[in-house]
């Protein structure tokens, strides 16, 4: 009789989810890279090449990863791309080559789910055509990354998607592709008035060549992960995007098309909820958003401009300038609740240095009635009728954080801000990042990553 893999893995709780608690770009790449030193496996569970996780190595080299999990720069770590991720093979192959050029071994360390769906050229075309149409019609575009994410998940849920496993059966692949391409060409031409067309034979030839290149990495990752969990290995489950971009809990329709929230880690990897022992939320010391949609604490003045410049707040995937604002504790309280966040990693605190005043949004007020609002809502109509209420803090000098090795060493003004933020989000700040480098981090567990 085979071993009861599942029931064993459910008891161990050796998985930690790391996810964004705002609108993305919180610096998850750095945190995962840092913690990966003490885990065995890092797994991506949703999203696709819309993500851009930036990692800076001790020798100064800096990389942006879109699909490969952020543990790849630690030789002992196995990296998994789960079934919940939508994979653009062009971006994936490019990224594998980029990492290999840096002398990093990928074969034997990267494992990709055979059940993951593929992004096809028509998904990217439809994503861009839809955005252009909405923009021209009434300016209501989502502001997507244009990477085909929405249309790929649409096909997945409409049961028309092409999965990696489909590449193995050429005859049925041809049939599925022909059907999809006929439909998409018609949509592109008749609905979007586009003259671009997809060619079945060209796409088949291209994807057959991708198949050969990615074949060594493909496996049943759910089985693999459950075996590893049962064997006592420790796992980091790396979220992409963030909770306020979640298709269910974000500011719909200005969201991504997957579940970056903690629940998505189980469905996106095929692991049991009980195997998750801990959820580490990542939040920036201020807030940013790229793309359209509500952003209560947005600063459209010179302070916002300054944060953008000092924080290099330009999209790692698209290069678009990010909208910047003050930390919104109402929103982060909400995402902490949805995800069961056990502690936070606060990033980019250094970006606020040099400001004369720093603000923290602790609650909202309804504009129409003046009533105080303690809880976040993702209802767009209600969000249009609120204004943020701030607690104000004295700023700290540009060099105030330099050389600090613990939270206690930070100047009083910084500590006052951190204490208030911690109180307002109602969960402990476990890690504080004061720069892009691995060493510019306060509070990282030095012992092998502790599983709680
Ligand atoms: P999509 O995921 O490309 O469909 O874009 C939907 C929304 O999510 C847009 O507002 C994007 O700007 C945003 N988004 C997607 N991926 C990221 C990310 O990695 N960081 C920040 N925003 C993102």
């Amino acid at each position: 009789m085979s071993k009861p893999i599942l029931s064993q893995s459910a008891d161990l709780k050796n998985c930690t989810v790391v996810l964004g608690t705002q609108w993305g770009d919180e610096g998850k790449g750095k945190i995962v890279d840092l913690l990966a030193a003490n885990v065995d496996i890092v797994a991506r569970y949703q999203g696709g090449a819309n993500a851009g996780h930036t990692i800076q190595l001790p020798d100064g080299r800096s990389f942006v990863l879109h699909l490969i999990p952020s543990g790849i720069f630690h030789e002992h770590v196995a990296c998994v791309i789960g079934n919940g991720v939508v994979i653009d093979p062009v971006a994936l192959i490019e990224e594998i080559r980029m990492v290999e050029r840096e002398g990093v071994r990928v074969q034997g360390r990267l494992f990709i789910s055979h059940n993951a769906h593929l992004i096809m050229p028509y998904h990217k075309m439809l994503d861009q055509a839809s955005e252009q149409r909405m923009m021209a019609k009434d300016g209501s575009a989502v502001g997507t990354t244009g990477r085909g994410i929405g249309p790929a998940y649409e096909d997945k849920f409409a049961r028309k998607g092409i999965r990696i496993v489909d590449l193995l059966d050429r005859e049925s692949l041809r049939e599925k592709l022909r059907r999809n391409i006929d439909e998409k060409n018609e949509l592109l031409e008749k609905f979007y008035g586009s003259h671009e067309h997809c060619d079945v034979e060209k796409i088949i030839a291209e994807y057959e060549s991708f198949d050969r290149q990615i074949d060594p990495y493909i496996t049943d990752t759910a089985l693999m992960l459950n075996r590893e969990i049962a064997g006592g290995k420790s796992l980091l489950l790396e979220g992409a995007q963030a909770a306020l971009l979640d298709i269910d809990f974000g500011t719909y329709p200005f969201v991504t098309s997957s579940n970056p929230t903690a629940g998505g880690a189980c469905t996106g990897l095929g692991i049991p909820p009980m195997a998750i022992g801990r959820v580490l939320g990542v939040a920036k010391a201020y807030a940013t958003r790229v793309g359209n949609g509500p952003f209560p604490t947005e600063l459209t003045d010179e302070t916002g401009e300054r944060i953008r410049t000092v924080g290099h707040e330009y999209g790692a995937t698209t290069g678009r300038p990010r909208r910047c604002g003050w930390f919104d504790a109402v929103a982060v309280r909400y995402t902490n609740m949805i995800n069961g966040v056990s502690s936070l990693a606060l990033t980019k605190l250094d970006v606020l240095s040099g400001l004369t005043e720093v603000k923290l949004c602790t609650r909202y007020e309804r504009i129409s009635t003046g009533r105080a609002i303690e809880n976040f809502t993702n209802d767009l109509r209600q969000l249009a009728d609120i204004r943020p209420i701030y607690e104000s803090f004295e700023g700290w000098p540009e060099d105030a954080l330099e050389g600090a090795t613990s939270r206690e060493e930070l100047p009083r003004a910084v500590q006052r801000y951190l204490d208030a933020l911690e109180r307002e989000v109602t969960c402990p700040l476990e890690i504080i990042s004061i720069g892009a480098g691995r060493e510019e981090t306060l509070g990282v567990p030095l012992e092998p990553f502790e599983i709680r």
Side-chain angles (χ1 to χ4, degrees), residues 202-429:
K202 195 168 151 238
I203 292 182
I204 288 175
E206 211 177 13
Y207 275 68
E208 281 179 1
S209 106
F210 293 151
D211 181 31
R212 279 188 291 280
Q213 296 177 69
I214 59 178
D215 187 56
Y217 307 104
I218 309 304
T219 191
D220 181 341
T221 51
L223 184 62
M224 169 196 166
L225 290 175
N226 279 285
R227 280 198 175 127
E228 299 291 22
I229 293 169
K233 295 279 169 59
S234 55
L235 280 76
L236 272 189
L237 316 182
E238 178 181 11
Q241 290 78 55
L244 292 170
L245 290 172
D246 185 275
I247 186 83
D248 287 290
F249 299 104
T251 47
Y252 192 90
F254 299 100
V255 291
T256 192
S257 298
S258 67
N259 287 115
T261 33
C266 295
T267 53
L269 291 167
I271 58 166
M274 295 304 284
I276 297 175
R278 182 179 176 206
V279 180
L280 176 68
V282 186
K284 250 190 277 219
Y286 48 96
T288 61
R289 173 160 206 169
V290 60
N292 301 327
F295 183 0
T297 60
E298 181 169 14
L299 290 167
T300 49
D301 57 6
E302 64 275 17
T303 307
E305 196 58 55
R306 185 201 148 104
I307 292 176
R308 179 163 35 253
T309 308
V310 177
H312 310 291
E313 294 296 352
Y314 294 87
T317 300
T318 59
R320 290 179 293 177
R322 296 179 186 140
R323 300 155 65 193
C324 299
W326 296 122
F327 189 93
D328 185 343
V330 184
V332 176
R333 272 202 298 272
Y334 164 77
T335 52
N336 282 354
M337 173 188 81
I338 297 294
N339 295 291
V341 168
S342 16
S343 59
L344 271 188
L346 192 75
T347 60
K348 298 186 92 165
L349 181 62
D350 50 307
V351 174
L352 298 180
S353 297
L355 291 171
T356 46
E357 181 192 29
V358 174
K359 289 185 181 180
L360 175 67
C361 168
T362 55
R363 63 196 162 88
Y364 301 152
E365 185 180 88
R366 206 175 285 297
I367 297 167
S368 55
T369 62
R371 248 193 55 216
I373 312 261
E374 305 290 337
N375 298 316
F376 188 78
T377 169
N378 57 7
D379 177 335
L380 258 52
R381 258 178 337 123
Q382 288 191 41
L383 278 173
D385 184 34
I386 56 107
R387 73 170 138 249
I389 303 297
Y390 292 111
E391 197 170 326
S392 177
F393 299 84
E394 172 201 339
W396 51 88
E398 300 250 7
D399 59 356
L401 311 183
E402 277 170 26
T405 56
S406 71
R407 182 166 165 180
E408 294 68 38
E409 283 172 31
L410 296 171
R412 274 309 306 156
V414 186
Q415 293 203 34
R416 272 195 288 272
Y417 178 63
L418 295 177
D419 291 349
L421 191 147
E422 192 168 46
R423 180 194 73 223
E424 290 299 326
V425 297
T426 63
C427 86
L429 298 182

Side-chain angles (χ1 to χ4, degrees), residues 23-25 50-52 142-146 149-150 241 245 255-256 290-291 320:
W23 281 284
D25 310 311
N50 47 350
V142 173
T144 71
T145 58
I149 305 297
Q241 290 78 55
L245 290 172
V255 291
T256 192
V290 60
R320 290 179 293 177

